Amino acid sequence: MLSIKNYRYTAAALGIVLMMTACAPGTQQGSQQATTSAPAALQTRGASEGLQGSGQGLAESGLPTDSSTEDPAVVKAYTDYANYIGQNLIDTWNSWFQQRGIPQQDVAFIIVPKGAQGTTTCTDAGGGTHKPVTDEGSAFFCATDKMADGRTGVIWLPLTSMIGIVNGDVYGNGQSQWPGDFAFAETIAHEFGHHVESSLEDWYTKNQPSAGVKPPRGAWNELLADCFAGNWTEAAYTQGALQNGDYDEAIAKIGLTGDSYSFGPDGSIIFDPSSDPHGAPNHRVGAYKVGVEGVPAGNYQPGDPQTCISYYWQADKDYTYDMVLPAG
């Protein structure tokens, strides 16, 4: 069984990059590879067991709650943890790709501490500017960012925001009921889900052009990534890498990242317009749960990515907030 204690990786295998100076992904300057030390061992307890949050995740992983993104020890701890999660994601998803005859995929991870700055080729949600990536803001995946070593696709992890998530401050949207390290892990897994979407889209285009596969639109794109993150959570459970409270930490965090809403005079829910819709909070939580638990009524098994594709790969359908299934 896999545990953080006995799982080993090398920096060469993943090489999460710690941004040290302002630079574009393809022209790194002064970066350093992540070290190979791993967090402490975790208890084995799975997401499918209906966990009650224990609050133990933060302490047992050894991940500090110190909000200083300039403290080398804090930066190193978060880099090590992200390195472990990232390598597990790559191994888990490449196993699934290999079973289906799809070439192994790779992606880069860049942690941005305070005072550093990165440059992305992706624009903001409004389709406008290429904003510099700093230690604040949301984590995101950019499929067109390229690394000097040839990898295409970068998951950006602004460190101040990631420390906030571990402490329960989810992008300023509210305080999580169950803060902890796995909220950070789920964030990485969600962004990796976008990488899976991009990889599948490329593969479909090259190998099944007659199928006319298009990427999911709008909130469907985010719900699919939520569901894929759930797939990985179930895989981590079967590997023995989860602990009491992890499932709750992820769900509490996801529930604070849905599109904002208000209530109309008649009590109806009114969602605020957004150029970057992510889905209603209950639908986002529901998508994650579908990825973890499957859909027993439809004979969809826990952790099966095909379930997520069936439900959420919606390229020609508009997302509506009164969607009934599936929702948490």
Side-chain angles (χ1 to χ4, degrees):
M1 290 168 53
L2 173 68
S3 70
I4 288 183
K5 182 177 182 180
N6 61 29
Y7 189 85
R8 291 293 181 265
Y9 54 85
T10 64
L14 176 60
I16 285 185
V17 175
L18 173 61
M19 296 293 298
M20 302 298 290
T21 59
C23 62
T27 57
Q28 299 172 57
Q29 299 174 357
S31 62
Q32 69 182 41
Q33 301 285 20
T35 62
T36 57
S37 60
L42 300 183
Q43 294 179 2
T44 302
R45 182 77 182 274
S48 299
E49 298 179 21
L51 301 182
Q52 299 298 312
S54 67
Q56 295 177 342
L58 189 62
E60 290 195 10
S61 73
L63 209 55
T65 58
D66 189 335
S67 61
S68 172
T69 58
E70 296 177 320
D71 184 341
V74 173
V75 175
K76 180 181 182 299
Y78 277 80
T79 301
D80 287 349
Y81 187 77
N83 209 344
Y84 166 75
I85 297 298
Q87 187 62 63
N88 192 290
L89 280 160
I90 288 176
D91 291 344
T92 298
W93 279 106
N94 274 336
S95 176
W96 184 79
F97 282 131
Q98 184 177 18
Q99 293 170 16
R100 285 150 186 80
I102 301 174
Q104 290 193 358
Q105 307 295 316
D106 201 358
V107 66
F109 300 75
I110 297 182
I111 291 179
V112 188
K114 189 172 183 179
Q117 180 175 295
T119 303
T120 178
T121 59
C122 288
T123 60
D124 58 21
T129 60
H130 301 266
K131 294 184 177 180
V133 187
T134 67
D135 64 302
E136 299 179 327
S138 300
F140 69 95
F141 167 70
C142 183
T144 55
D145 284 345
K146 295 183 179 181
M147 301 293 290
D149 61 8
R151 284 178 292 176
T152 299
V154 171
I155 292 174
W156 294 90
L157 301 169
L159 188 54
T160 296
S161 296
M162 299 305 99
I163 294 175
I165 285 175
V166 170
N167 282 299
D169 178 7
V170 183
Y171 299 131
N173 294 332
Q175 182 66 30
S176 171
Q177 182 182 1
W178 297 112
D181 55 2
F182 201 74
F184 178 28
E186 184 281 328
T187 300
I188 303 172
H190 171 90
E191 300 308 328
F192 200 96
H194 286 307
H195 168 61
V196 173
E197 293 171 1
S198 177
S199 299
L200 287 175
E201 181 189 351
D202 289 344
W203 188 84
Y204 288 142
T205 299
K206 294 175 182 177
N207 295 277
Q208 298 179 3
S210 61
V213 176
K214 299 177 182 178
R217 302 187 320 192
W220 292 111
N221 178 57
E222 300 298 334
L223 293 171
L224 181 56
D226 288 331
C227 194
F228 282 157
N231 291 158
W232 172 77
T233 300
E234 179 63 21
Y237 164 53
T238 61
Q239 296 163 2
L242 294 192
Q243 65 185 38
N244 292 346
D246 281 348
Y247 195 37
D248 304 280
E249 292 169 15
I251 288 175
K253 176 260 178 180
I254 295 168
L256 291 171
T257 57
D259 296 339
S260 59
Y261 61 91
S262 59
F263 291 96
D266 60 352
S268 61
I269 296 177
I270 301 174
F271 284 88
D272 298 332
S274 172
S275 59
D276 185 24
H278 279 57
N282 66 319
H283 292 156
R284 295 202 64 180
V285 170
Y288 178 72
K289 287 183 175 180
V290 166
V292 174
E293 302 171 4
V295 182
N299 200 29
Y300 287 110
Q301 299 303 308
D304 184 1
Q306 189 57 52
T307 303
C308 299
I309 294 171
S310 298
Y311 272 98
Y312 296 108
W313 197 295
Q314 303 288 348
D316 298 314
K317 185 185 295 184
D318 289 332
Y319 172 80
T320 57
Y321 290 109
D322 59 358
M323 179 177 66
V324 175
L325 182 69

